[in-house]
Amino acid sequence: MQRPSPTARTASDGPAEVFDYVVVGGGTAGSVIASRLAEDPDLTVALIEGGPSDVDRPEVLTLRRWQGLLGGELDYDYPTVAQPRGNSLIRHSRARVLGGCSSHNTLISFRPLPSDWEEWAAAGATGWDAATMDPYFDRLRNRIVPVGEADRNAIARDFVTAACAALKVPHIDGFNAAPFADGAGFFDLAYHPETNQRSSASVAYLHPHLAAGDRPGLRLFLQTRALRLELDGDGRATGVRVRGADGAVRVLGARTEVVLCAGAVDTPRLLLLSGIGPAEQLARLGIEVRHDLPGVGENLLDHPESVIVWETDGPIPENSAMDSDAGLFVRRDPGSPGPDLMFHFYQIPFTDNPERLGYRRPAHGVSMTPNIPKPRSRGRLYLTSADPDAVPALDFGYFTDPEDYDARTLVDGIRLAREVAAAEPLASWLKREVCPGPELNSDEELSAYARRAAHTVYHPAGTCRMGAADDRDAVVDPALRVRGLTGVRVADASVFPTIPAVNPMVCVLMVGERAAELLRAG
């Protein structure tokens, strides 16, 4: 069946409705920005979200049910192109629901480390240094608290104790209390421990006002797909062409600015479909080049990790906030400003990828996931078709850094995980190492396993990176304006010049708070 063109069923090329601001993407940053802009009763704000509302949806709002969302109806579930040195079967979950990935993920909440912000400033993101950015954490409306005592599983407690003893790292009671370079402890989460309900971006920034009706200028366009930006002849964004759930296409006009918050996959995708990006790539696909901007889709970043699984000697307690409530950070290089190896501790046998390699899932088990906080490999996102419904190509270039730093980090991680597993009190829980298995012990064997069993923690970033005015490959300037255009900014993980060493959700929330302030300043 032939798809209708993006302009089908449009009564006119003019805007159907006009708002002061049009925000594309009702996810982590978009929820913040739309709510903050709508605090001004004189402003009108359109918030476009491709998925449905999360209100009254317990499968979304209950944090413990996060795994059931992966690959389901509320997941765009993007594939990865072939990875010669990694796992080519990785699926990248991107949430299709109000609140975005904060309605979909485990809500592990880290204040970015000072060294993360300083890295941005050094990369040309003037005004994004630690002293400027750190206060935005205290403005967040999300309820960010340590894992509740009732959710602190006994084996997770023993993991923390064993990790501290085996690796001589400090026990950390609250990772957001102060900057750290290493340590083990229970995470801080954006949730309500007493109910296990999320404190996602939508819950914290939109739900109270949807219920109270006290943001009259805010309009939500749910199950509405942004197809392309509308640009005038002077390179100004005047609105967004969208398609509703009924298939009707219309233009939502923007008097002041369009703000792109669709994430590190769909923001560059929308720019490219709008003719904004590398001219040669666009012309090859038959897309009219409106603005040659080489960096769109480049600098694709992620936090890859692998997995070590142990069978436990019988079932483990079921109490948990979300099955990965504790973790470990290590600084192998004393010269590193922050941690250079991280582990999530899963109170489940996390064997999706190892099973493809022939391993069998044990009836009862736990996992440690060595994670690369500062990966050196870089990838790219690109279009394969001018059809707005065609899935973009995601080539993360996993483990392609010339020094092989990323792969060596995972090998070190497996060896350190084995040290933790051999230490009490964790050792008494464990029956055997399932994968990679004790028979694999050389660097070459462990590297091959770690890369083939690798997965993602769903942290794509960097595809519209921020940089200095003379940086040819920067997509946005430090005020988040798209270079060479007017009336359009980007505010989501795509603007990250480099990826934070910690889980980035809070960083995205803080980008949203900063962006709202920049927008109000004009």
Side-chain angles (χ1 to χ4, degrees), residues 291-316:
H291 180 49
D292 183 14
L293 198 54
V296 176
E298 300 297 320
N299 192 49
L300 178 58
L301 308 169
D302 190 25
H303 280 146
E305 65 181 21
S306 196
V307 63
I308 310 99
V309 179
W310 287 266
E311 183 179 12
T312 53
D313 192 12
I316 60 176

mmCIF file with all atom_site columns, all heavy atoms in Angstrom, residues 291-316:
data_model
loop_
_atom_site.group_PDB
_atom_site.id
_atom_site.type_symbol
_atom_site.label_atom_id
_atom_site.label_alt_id
_atom_site.label_comp_id
_atom_site.label_asym_id
_atom_site.label_entity_id
_atom_site.label_seq_id
_atom_site.pdbx_PDB_ins_code
_atom_site.Cartn_x
_atom_site.Cartn_y
_atom_site.Cartn_z
_atom_site.occupancy
_atom_site.B_iso_or_equiv
_atom_site.pdbx_formal_charge
_atom_site.auth_seq_id
_atom_site.auth_comp_id
_atom_site.auth_asym_id
_atom_site.auth_atom_id
_atom_site.pdbx_PDB_model_num
ATOM 1   N N   . HIS A 1 291 ? 19.440 24.224  4.515  1.00 0.00 ? 291 HIS A N   1
ATOM 2   C CA  . HIS A 1 291 ? 20.571 24.787  5.265  1.00 0.00 ? 291 HIS A CA  1
ATOM 3   C C   . HIS A 1 291 ? 21.625 23.699  5.444  1.00 0.00 ? 291 HIS A C   1
ATOM 4   O O   . HIS A 1 291 ? 21.360 22.671  6.081  1.00 0.00 ? 291 HIS A O   1
ATOM 5   C CB  . HIS A 1 291 ? 20.092 25.299  6.621  1.00 0.00 ? 291 HIS A CB  1
ATOM 6   C CG  . HIS A 1 291 ? 21.175 25.906  7.462  1.00 0.00 ? 291 HIS A CG  1
ATOM 7   N ND1 . HIS A 1 291 ? 22.065 26.844  6.982  1.00 0.00 ? 291 HIS A ND1 1
ATOM 8   C CD2 . HIS A 1 291 ? 21.526 25.694  8.763  1.00 0.00 ? 291 HIS A CD2 1
ATOM 9   C CE1 . HIS A 1 291 ? 22.895 27.198  7.947  1.00 0.00 ? 291 HIS A CE1 1
ATOM 10  N NE2 . HIS A 1 291 ? 22.596 26.500  9.025  1.00 0.00 ? 291 HIS A NE2 1
ATOM 11  N N   . ASP A 1 292 ? 22.799 23.912  4.849  1.00 0.00 ? 292 ASP A N   1
ATOM 12  C CA  . ASP A 1 292 ? 23.886 22.939  4.941  1.00 0.00 ? 292 ASP A CA  1
ATOM 13  C C   . ASP A 1 292 ? 24.517 23.028  6.328  1.00 0.00 ? 292 ASP A C   1
ATOM 14  O O   . ASP A 1 292 ? 25.147 24.029  6.667  1.00 0.00 ? 292 ASP A O   1
ATOM 15  C CB  . ASP A 1 292 ? 24.923 23.242  3.856  1.00 0.00 ? 292 ASP A CB  1
ATOM 16  C CG  . ASP A 1 292 ? 26.072 22.233  3.833  1.00 0.00 ? 292 ASP A CG  1
ATOM 17  O OD1 . ASP A 1 292 ? 25.938 21.167  4.471  1.00 0.00 ? 292 ASP A OD1 1
ATOM 18  O OD2 . ASP A 1 292 ? 27.096 22.527  3.185  1.00 0.00 ? 292 ASP A OD2 1
ATOM 19  N N   . LEU A 1 293 ? 24.333 21.987  7.120  1.00 0.00 ? 293 LEU A N   1
ATOM 20  C CA  . LEU A 1 293 ? 24.849 21.966  8.492  1.00 0.00 ? 293 LEU A CA  1
ATOM 21  C C   . LEU A 1 293 ? 25.470 20.590  8.730  1.00 0.00 ? 293 LEU A C   1
ATOM 22  O O   . LEU A 1 293 ? 24.787 19.629  9.089  1.00 0.00 ? 293 LEU A O   1
ATOM 23  C CB  . LEU A 1 293 ? 23.701 22.239  9.473  1.00 0.00 ? 293 LEU A CB  1
ATOM 24  C CG  . LEU A 1 293 ? 24.059 22.668  10.898 1.00 0.00 ? 293 LEU A CG  1
ATOM 25  C CD1 . LEU A 1 293 ? 24.973 23.883  10.921 1.00 0.00 ? 293 LEU A CD1 1
ATOM 26  C CD2 . LEU A 1 293 ? 22.797 22.957  11.698 1.00 0.00 ? 293 LEU A CD2 1
ATOM 27  N N   . PRO A 1 294 ? 26.779 20.459  8.505  1.00 0.00 ? 294 PRO A N   1
ATOM 28  C CA  . PRO A 1 294 ? 27.410 19.129  8.448  1.00 0.00 ? 294 PRO A CA  1
ATOM 29  C C   . PRO A 1 294 ? 27.293 18.296  9.715  1.00 0.00 ? 294 PRO A C   1
ATOM 30  O O   . PRO A 1 294 ? 27.319 17.063  9.650  1.00 0.00 ? 294 PRO A O   1
ATOM 31  C CB  . PRO A 1 294 ? 28.882 19.457  8.146  1.00 0.00 ? 294 PRO A CB  1
ATOM 32  C CG  . PRO A 1 294 ? 28.873 20.828  7.569  1.00 0.00 ? 294 PRO A CG  1
ATOM 33  C CD  . PRO A 1 294 ? 27.727 21.534  8.198  1.00 0.00 ? 294 PRO A CD  1
ATOM 34  N N   . GLY A 1 295 ? 27.181 18.922  10.882 1.00 0.00 ? 295 GLY A N   1
ATOM 35  C CA  . GLY A 1 295 ? 27.226 18.160  12.127 1.00 0.00 ? 295 GLY A CA  1
ATOM 36  C C   . GLY A 1 295 ? 25.950 17.441  12.517 1.00 0.00 ? 295 GLY A C   1
ATOM 37  O O   . GLY A 1 295 ? 25.956 16.637  13.463 1.00 0.00 ? 295 GLY A O   1
ATOM 38  N N   . VAL A 1 296 ? 24.849 17.681  11.815 1.00 0.00 ? 296 VAL A N   1
ATOM 39  C CA  . VAL A 1 296 ? 23.579 17.053  12.196 1.00 0.00 ? 296 VAL A CA  1
ATOM 40  C C   . VAL A 1 296 ? 23.683 15.539  12.016 1.00 0.00 ? 296 VAL A C   1
ATOM 41  O O   . VAL A 1 296 ? 23.957 15.037  10.928 1.00 0.00 ? 296 VAL A O   1
ATOM 42  C CB  . VAL A 1 296 ? 22.405 17.609  11.369 1.00 0.00 ? 296 VAL A CB  1
ATOM 43  C CG1 . VAL A 1 296 ? 21.114 16.871  11.713 1.00 0.00 ? 296 VAL A CG1 1
ATOM 44  C CG2 . VAL A 1 296 ? 22.237 19.099  11.623 1.00 0.00 ? 296 VAL A CG2 1
ATOM 45  N N   . GLY A 1 297 ? 23.478 14.808  13.094 1.00 0.00 ? 297 GLY A N   1
ATOM 46  C CA  . GLY A 1 297 ? 23.542 13.355  13.077 1.00 0.00 ? 297 GLY A CA  1
ATOM 47  C C   . GLY A 1 297 ? 24.911 12.789  13.401 1.00 0.00 ? 297 GLY A C   1
ATOM 48  O O   . GLY A 1 297 ? 25.037 11.578  13.650 1.00 0.00 ? 297 GLY A O   1
ATOM 49  N N   . GLU A 1 298 ? 25.933 13.631  13.416 1.00 0.00 ? 298 GLU A N   1
ATOM 50  C CA  . GLU A 1 298 ? 27.280 13.154  13.741 1.00 0.00 ? 298 GLU A CA  1
ATOM 51  C C   . GLU A 1 298 ? 27.464 13.103  15.265 1.00 0.00 ? 298 GLU A C   1
ATOM 52  O O   . GLU A 1 298 ? 26.592 13.508  16.021 1.00 0.00 ? 298 GLU A O   1
ATOM 53  C CB  . GLU A 1 298 ? 28.328 14.073  13.107 1.00 0.00 ? 298 GLU A CB  1
ATOM 54  C CG  . GLU A 1 298 ? 28.243 14.155  11.595 1.00 0.00 ? 298 GLU A CG  1
ATOM 55  C CD  . GLU A 1 298 ? 28.504 12.818  10.915 1.00 0.00 ? 298 GLU A CD  1
ATOM 56  O OE1 . GLU A 1 298 ? 29.409 12.081  11.371 1.00 0.00 ? 298 GLU A OE1 1
ATOM 57  O OE2 . GLU A 1 298 ? 27.813 12.518  9.927  1.00 0.00 ? 298 GLU A OE2 1
ATOM 58  N N   . ASN A 1 299 ? 28.627 12.585  15.697 1.00 0.00 ? 299 ASN A N   1
ATOM 59  C CA  . ASN A 1 299 ? 28.979 12.570  17.128 1.00 0.00 ? 299 ASN A CA  1
ATOM 60  C C   . ASN A 1 299 ? 27.998 11.756  17.972 1.00 0.00 ? 299 ASN A C   1
ATOM 61  O O   . ASN A 1 299 ? 27.703 12.085  19.114 1.00 0.00 ? 299 ASN A O   1
ATOM 62  C CB  . ASN A 1 299 ? 29.074 14.005  17.677 1.00 0.00 ? 299 ASN A CB  1
ATOM 63  C CG  . ASN A 1 299 ? 29.713 14.087  19.051 1.00 0.00 ? 299 ASN A CG  1
ATOM 64  O OD1 . ASN A 1 299 ? 30.770 13.522  19.288 1.00 0.00 ? 299 ASN A OD1 1
ATOM 65  N ND2 . ASN A 1 299 ? 29.064 14.768  19.972 1.00 0.00 ? 299 ASN A ND2 1
ATOM 66  N N   . LEU A 1 300 ? 27.474 10.653  17.423 1.00 0.00 ? 300 LEU A N   1
ATOM 67  C CA  . LEU A 1 300 ? 26.525 9.818   18.158 1.00 0.00 ? 300 LEU A CA  1
ATOM 68  C C   . LEU A 1 300 ? 27.246 9.094   19.296 1.00 0.00 ? 300 LEU A C   1
ATOM 69  O O   . LEU A 1 300 ? 28.213 8.363   19.071 1.00 0.00 ? 300 LEU A O   1
ATOM 70  C CB  . LEU A 1 300 ? 25.870 8.824   17.202 1.00 0.00 ? 300 LEU A CB  1
ATOM 71  C CG  . LEU A 1 300 ? 24.872 7.830   17.797 1.00 0.00 ? 300 LEU A CG  1
ATOM 72  C CD1 . LEU A 1 300 ? 23.722 8.546   18.493 1.00 0.00 ? 300 LEU A CD1 1
ATOM 73  C CD2 . LEU A 1 300 ? 24.337 6.902   16.705 1.00 0.00 ? 300 LEU A CD2 1
ATOM 74  N N   . LEU A 1 301 ? 26.777 9.319   20.508 1.00 0.00 ? 301 LEU A N   1
ATOM 75  C CA  . LEU A 1 301 ? 27.406 8.790   21.717 1.00 0.00 ? 301 LEU A CA  1
ATOM 76  C C   . LEU A 1 301 ? 26.464 7.816   22.417 1.00 0.00 ? 301 LEU A C   1
ATOM 77  O O   . LEU A 1 301 ? 25.253 7.862   22.225 1.00 0.00 ? 301 LEU A O   1
ATOM 78  C CB  . LEU A 1 301 ? 27.729 9.934   22.689 1.00 0.00 ? 301 LEU A CB  1
ATOM 79  C CG  . LEU A 1 301 ? 28.527 11.110  22.143 1.00 0.00 ? 301 LEU A CG  1
ATOM 80  C CD1 . LEU A 1 301 ? 28.534 12.257  23.149 1.00 0.00 ? 301 LEU A CD1 1
ATOM 81  C CD2 . LEU A 1 301 ? 29.941 10.688  21.805 1.00 0.00 ? 301 LEU A CD2 1
ATOM 82  N N   . ASP A 1 302 ? 27.025 6.973   23.266 1.00 0.00 ? 302 ASP A N   1
ATOM 83  C CA  . ASP A 1 302 ? 26.216 6.072   24.079 1.00 0.00 ? 302 ASP A CA  1
ATOM 84  C C   . ASP A 1 302 ? 27.095 5.527   25.196 1.00 0.00 ? 302 ASP A C   1
ATOM 85  O O   . ASP A 1 302 ? 28.329 5.647   25.158 1.00 0.00 ? 302 ASP A O   1
ATOM 86  C CB  . ASP A 1 302 ? 25.661 4.924   23.230 1.00 0.00 ? 302 ASP A CB  1
ATOM 87  C CG  . ASP A 1 302 ? 24.604 4.095   23.968 1.00 0.00 ? 302 ASP A CG  1
ATOM 88  O OD1 . ASP A 1 302 ? 23.966 4.629   24.894 1.00 0.00 ? 302 ASP A OD1 1
ATOM 89  O OD2 . ASP A 1 302 ? 24.422 2.913   23.622 1.00 0.00 ? 302 ASP A OD2 1
ATOM 90  N N   . HIS A 1 303 ? 26.454 4.945   26.202 1.00 0.00 ? 303 HIS A N   1
ATOM 91  C CA  . HIS A 1 303 ? 27.135 4.205   27.263 1.00 0.00 ? 303 HIS A CA  1
ATOM 92  C C   . HIS A 1 303 ? 26.949 2.710   27.009 1.00 0.00 ? 303 HIS A C   1
ATOM 93  O O   . HIS A 1 303 ? 25.986 2.119   27.497 1.00 0.00 ? 303 HIS A O   1
ATOM 94  C CB  . HIS A 1 303 ? 26.528 4.538   28.637 1.00 0.00 ? 303 HIS A CB  1
ATOM 95  C CG  . HIS A 1 303 ? 26.995 5.805   29.240 1.00 0.00 ? 303 HIS A CG  1
ATOM 96  N ND1 . HIS A 1 303 ? 26.180 6.596   30.026 1.00 0.00 ? 303 HIS A ND1 1
ATOM 97  C CD2 . HIS A 1 303 ? 28.187 6.447   29.214 1.00 0.00 ? 303 HIS A CD2 1
ATOM 98  C CE1 . HIS A 1 303 ? 26.851 7.659   30.451 1.00 0.00 ? 303 HIS A CE1 1
ATOM 99  N NE2 . HIS A 1 303 ? 28.072 7.582   29.959 1.00 0.00 ? 303 HIS A NE2 1
ATOM 100 N N   . PRO A 1 304 ? 27.816 2.064   26.247 1.00 0.00 ? 304 PRO A N   1
ATOM 101 C CA  . PRO A 1 304 ? 27.670 0.616   26.099 1.00 0.00 ? 304 PRO A CA  1
ATOM 102 C C   . PRO A 1 304 ? 28.128 -0.103  27.353 1.00 0.00 ? 304 PRO A C   1
ATOM 103 O O   . PRO A 1 304 ? 28.966 0.394   28.110 1.00 0.00 ? 304 PRO A O   1
ATOM 104 C CB  . PRO A 1 304 ? 28.590 0.289   24.918 1.00 0.00 ? 304 PRO A CB  1
ATOM 105 C CG  . PRO A 1 304 ? 29.622 1.347   24.952 1.00 0.00 ? 304 PRO A CG  1
ATOM 106 C CD  . PRO A 1 304 ? 28.951 2.586   25.492 1.00 0.00 ? 304 PRO A CD  1
ATOM 107 N N   . GLU A 1 305 ? 27.564 -1.267  27.579 1.00 0.00 ? 305 GLU A N   1
ATOM 108 C CA  . GLU A 1 305 ? 28.012 -2.093  28.686 1.00 0.00 ? 305 GLU A CA  1
ATOM 109 C C   . GLU A 1 305 ? 27.843 -3.558  28.319 1.00 0.00 ? 305 GLU A C   1
ATOM 110 O O   . GLU A 1 305 ? 27.100 -3.912  27.406 1.00 0.00 ? 305 GLU A O   1
ATOM 111 C CB  . GLU A 1 305 ? 27.265 -1.766  29.981 1.00 0.00 ? 305 GLU A CB  1
ATOM 112 C CG  . GLU A 1 305 ? 25.793 -2.071  29.989 1.00 0.00 ? 305 GLU A CG  1
ATOM 113 C CD  . GLU A 1 305 ? 25.111 -1.692  31.321 1.00 0.00 ? 305 GLU A CD  1
ATOM 114 O OE1 . GLU A 1 305 ? 25.660 -0.865  32.058 1.00 0.00 ? 305 GLU A OE1 1
ATOM 115 O OE2 . GLU A 1 305 ? 24.044 -2.246  31.604 1.00 0.00 ? 305 GLU A OE2 1
ATOM 116 N N   . SER A 1 306 ? 28.559 -4.417  29.036 1.00 0.00 ? 306 SER A N   1
ATOM 117 C CA  . SER A 1 306 ? 28.408 -5.850  28.851 1.00 0.00 ? 306 SER A CA  1
ATOM 118 C C   . SER A 1 306 ? 27.823 -6.440  30.138 1.00 0.00 ? 306 SER A C   1
ATOM 119 O O   . SER A 1 306 ? 27.354 -5.689  31.004 1.00 0.00 ? 306 SER A O   1
ATOM 120 C CB  . SER A 1 306 ? 29.740 -6.498  28.480 1.00 0.00 ? 306 SER A CB  1
ATOM 121 O OG  . SER A 1 306 ? 29.517 -7.791  27.943 1.00 0.00 ? 306 SER A OG  1
ATOM 122 N N   . VAL A 1 307 ? 27.863 -7.771  30.271 1.00 0.00 ? 307 VAL A N   1
ATOM 123 C CA  . VAL A 1 307 ? 27.170 -8.377  31.407 1.00 0.00 ? 307 VAL A CA  1
ATOM 124 C C   . VAL A 1 307 ? 27.880 -9.644  31.854 1.00 0.00 ? 307 VAL A C   1
ATOM 125 O O   . VAL A 1 307 ? 28.383 -10.416 31.037 1.00 0.00 ? 307 VAL A O   1
ATOM 126 C CB  . VAL A 1 307 ? 25.688 -8.669  31.047 1.00 0.00 ? 307 VAL A CB  1
ATOM 127 C CG1 . VAL A 1 307 ? 25.578 -9.675  29.915 1.00 0.00 ? 307 VAL A CG1 1
ATOM 128 C CG2 . VAL A 1 307 ? 24.909 -9.129  32.263 1.00 0.00 ? 307 VAL A CG2 1
ATOM 129 N N   . ILE A 1 308 ? 27.954 -9.817  33.171 1.00 0.00 ? 308 ILE A N   1
ATOM 130 C CA  . ILE A 1 308 ? 28.421 -11.045 33.797 1.00 0.00 ? 308 ILE A CA  1
ATOM 131 C C   . ILE A 1 308 ? 27.258 -11.552 34.640 1.00 0.00 ? 308 ILE A C   1
ATOM 132 O O   . ILE A 1 308 ? 26.652 -10.796 35.404 1.00 0.00 ? 308 ILE A O   1
ATOM 133 C CB  . ILE A 1 308 ? 29.648 -10.825 34.696 1.00 0.00 ? 308 ILE A CB  1
ATOM 134 C CG1 . ILE A 1 308 ? 30.722 -10.036 33.947 1.00 0.00 ? 308 ILE A CG1 1
ATOM 135 C CG2 . ILE A 1 308 ? 30.214 -12.147 35.173 1.00 0.00 ? 308 ILE A CG2 1
ATOM 136 C CD1 . ILE A 1 308 ? 30.735 -8.579  34.288 1.00 0.00 ? 308 ILE A CD1 1
ATOM 137 N N   . VAL A 1 309 ? 26.932 -12.830 34.476 1.00 0.00 ? 309 VAL A N   1
ATOM 138 C CA  . VAL A 1 309 ? 25.762 -13.403 35.150 1.00 0.00 ? 309 VAL A CA  1
ATOM 139 C C   . VAL A 1 309 ? 26.205 -14.560 36.048 1.00 0.00 ? 309 VAL A C   1
ATOM 140 O O   . VAL A 1 309 ? 27.026 -15.390 35.648 1.00 0.00 ? 309 VAL A O   1
ATOM 141 C CB  . VAL A 1 309 ? 24.723 -13.902 34.123 1.00 0.00 ? 309 VAL A CB  1
ATOM 142 C CG1 . VAL A 1 309 ? 23.514 -14.516 34.830 1.00 0.00 ? 309 VAL A CG1 1
ATOM 143 C CG2 . VAL A 1 309 ? 24.288 -12.768 33.205 1.00 0.00 ? 309 VAL A CG2 1
ATOM 144 N N   . TRP A 1 310 ? 25.656 -14.590 37.252 1.00 0.00 ? 310 TRP A N   1
ATOM 145 C CA  . TRP A 1 310 ? 25.871 -15.703 38.182 1.00 0.00 ? 310 TRP A CA  1
ATOM 146 C C   . TRP A 1 310 ? 24.539 -16.359 38.516 1.00 0.00 ? 310 TRP A C   1
ATOM 147 O O   . TRP A 1 310 ? 23.521 -15.676 38.682 1.00 0.00 ? 310 TRP A O   1
ATOM 148 C CB  . TRP A 1 310 ? 26.502 -15.217 39.491 1.00 0.00 ? 310 TRP A CB  1
ATOM 149 C CG  . TRP A 1 310 ? 27.937 -14.832 39.374 1.00 0.00 ? 310 TRP A CG  1
ATOM 150 C CD1 . TRP A 1 310 ? 29.039 -15.609 39.609 1.00 0.00 ? 310 TRP A CD1 1
ATOM 151 C CD2 . TRP A 1 310 ? 28.439 -13.542 39.009 1.00 0.00 ? 310 TRP A CD2 1
ATOM 152 N NE1 . TRP A 1 310 ? 30.190 -14.890 39.402 1.00 0.00 ? 310 TRP A NE1 1
ATOM 153 C CE2 . TRP A 1 310 ? 29.844 -13.614 39.030 1.00 0.00 ? 310 TRP A CE2 1
ATOM 154 C CE3 . TRP A 1 310 ? 27.833 -12.330 38.650 1.00 0.00 ? 310 TRP A CE3 1
ATOM 155 C CZ2 . TRP A 1 310 ? 30.660 -12.535 38.728 1.00 0.00 ? 310 TRP A CZ2 1
ATOM 156 C CZ3 . TRP A 1 310 ? 28.635 -11.251 38.340 1.00 0.00 ? 310 TRP A CZ3 1
ATOM 157 C CH2 . TRP A 1 310 ? 30.035 -11.366 38.377 1.00 0.00 ? 310 TRP A CH2 1
ATOM 158 N N   . GLU A 1 311 ? 24.560 -17.661 38.621 1.00 0.00 ? 311 GLU A N   1
ATOM 159 C CA  . GLU A 1 311 ? 23.425 -18.378 39.185 1.00 0.00 ? 311 GLU A CA  1
ATOM 160 C C   . GLU A 1 311 ? 23.513 -18.292 40.690 1.00 0.00 ? 311 GLU A C   1
ATOM 161 O O   . GLU A 1 311 ? 24.600 -18.444 41.271 1.00 0.00 ? 311 GLU A O   1
ATOM 162 C CB  . GLU A 1 311 ? 23.450 -19.840 38.747 1.00 0.00 ? 311 GLU A CB  1
ATOM 163 C CG  . GLU A 1 311 ? 22.244 -20.637 39.254 1.00 0.00 ? 311 GLU A CG  1
ATOM 164 C CD  . GLU A 1 311 ? 22.253 -22.081 38.792 1.00 0.00 ? 311 GLU A CD  1
ATOM 165 O OE1 . GLU A 1 311 ? 23.294 -22.534 38.267 1.00 0.00 ? 311 GLU A OE1 1
ATOM 166 O OE2 . GLU A 1 311 ? 21.208 -22.745 38.972 1.00 0.00 ? 311 GLU A OE2 1
ATOM 167 N N   . THR A 1 312 ? 22.386 -18.021 41.337 1.00 0.00 ? 312 THR A N   1
ATOM 168 C CA  . THR A 1 312 ? 22.371 -17.962 42.794 1.00 0.00 ? 312 THR A CA  1
ATOM 169 C C   . THR A 1 312 ? 21.914 -19.303 43.362 1.00 0.00 ? 312 THR A C   1
ATOM 170 O O   . THR A 1 312 ? 21.257 -20.099 42.679 1.00 0.00 ? 312 THR A O   1
ATOM 171 C CB  . THR A 1 312 ? 21.436 -16.844 43.298 1.00 0.00 ? 312 THR A CB  1
ATOM 172 O OG1 . THR A 1 312 ? 20.139 -17.000 42.703 1.00 0.00 ? 312 THR A OG1 1
ATOM 173 C CG2 . THR A 1 312 ? 21.986 -15.478 42.946 1.00 0.00 ? 312 THR A CG2 1
ATOM 174 N N   . ASP A 1 313 ? 22.255 -19.525 44.595 1.00 0.00 ? 313 ASP A N   1
ATOM 175 C CA  . ASP A 1 313 ? 21.910 -20.775 45.277 1.00 0.00 ? 313 ASP A CA  1
ATOM 176 C C   . ASP A 1 313 ? 20.479 -20.673 45.789 1.00 0.00 ? 313 ASP A C   1
ATOM 177 O O   . ASP A 1 313 ? 20.221 -20.541 46.981 1.00 0.00 ? 313 ASP A O   1
ATOM 178 C CB  . ASP A 1 313 ? 22.887 -21.022 46.426 1.00 0.00 ? 313 ASP A CB  1
ATOM 179 C CG  . ASP A 1 313 ? 22.760 -22.434 46.990 1.00 0.00 ? 313 ASP A CG  1
ATOM 180 O OD1 . ASP A 1 313 ? 22.090 -23.261 46.350 1.00 0.00 ? 313 ASP A OD1 1
ATOM 181 O OD2 . ASP A 1 313 ? 23.331 -22.683 48.061 1.00 0.00 ? 313 ASP A OD2 1
ATOM 182 N N   . GLY A 1 314 ? 19.538 -20.690 44.840 1.00 0.00 ? 314 GLY A N   1
ATOM 183 C CA  . GLY A 1 314 ? 18.125 -20.548 45.176 1.00 0.00 ? 314 GLY A CA  1
ATOM 184 C C   . GLY A 1 314 ? 17.615 -19.149 44.893 1.00 0.00 ? 314 GLY A C   1
ATOM 185 O O   . GLY A 1 314 ? 18.357 -18.254 44.480 1.00 0.00 ? 314 GLY A O   1
ATOM 186 N N   . PRO A 1 315 ? 16.313 -18.930 45.092 1.00 0.00 ? 315 PRO A N   1
ATOM 187 C CA  . PRO A 1 315 ? 15.726 -17.619 44.800 1.00 0.00 ? 315 PRO A CA  1
ATOM 188 C C   . PRO A 1 315 ? 16.251 -16.537 45.732 1.00 0.00 ? 315 PRO A C   1
ATOM 189 O O   . PRO A 1 315 ? 16.720 -16.821 46.835 1.00 0.00 ? 315 PRO A O   1
ATOM 190 C CB  . PRO A 1 315 ? 14.222 -17.853 45.008 1.00 0.00 ? 315 PRO A CB  1
ATOM 191 C CG  . PRO A 1 315 ? 14.140 -19.030 45.917 1.00 0.00 ? 315 PRO A CG  1
ATOM 192 C CD  . PRO A 1 315 ? 15.323 -19.896 45.598 1.00 0.00 ? 315 PRO A CD  1
ATOM 193 N N   . ILE A 1 316 ? 16.166 -15.304 45.246 1.00 0.00 ? 316 ILE A N   1
ATOM 194 C CA  . ILE A 1 316 ? 16.578 -14.168 46.061 1.00 0.00 ? 316 ILE A CA  1
ATOM 195 C C   . ILE A 1 316 ? 15.325 -13.386 46.455 1.00 0.00 ? 316 ILE A C   1
ATOM 196 O O   . ILE A 1 316 ? 14.265 -13.538 45.831 1.00 0.00 ? 316 ILE A O   1
ATOM 197 C CB  . ILE A 1 316 ? 17.571 -13.264 45.313 1.00 0.00 ? 316 ILE A CB  1
ATOM 198 C CG1 . ILE A 1 316 ? 16.947 -12.704 44.034 1.00 0.00 ? 316 ILE A CG1 1
ATOM 199 C CG2 . ILE A 1 316 ? 18.850 -14.024 44.984 1.00 0.00 ? 316 ILE A CG2 1
ATOM 200 C CD1 . ILE A 1 316 ? 17.841 -11.738 43.298 1.00 0.00 ? 316 ILE A CD1 1
#
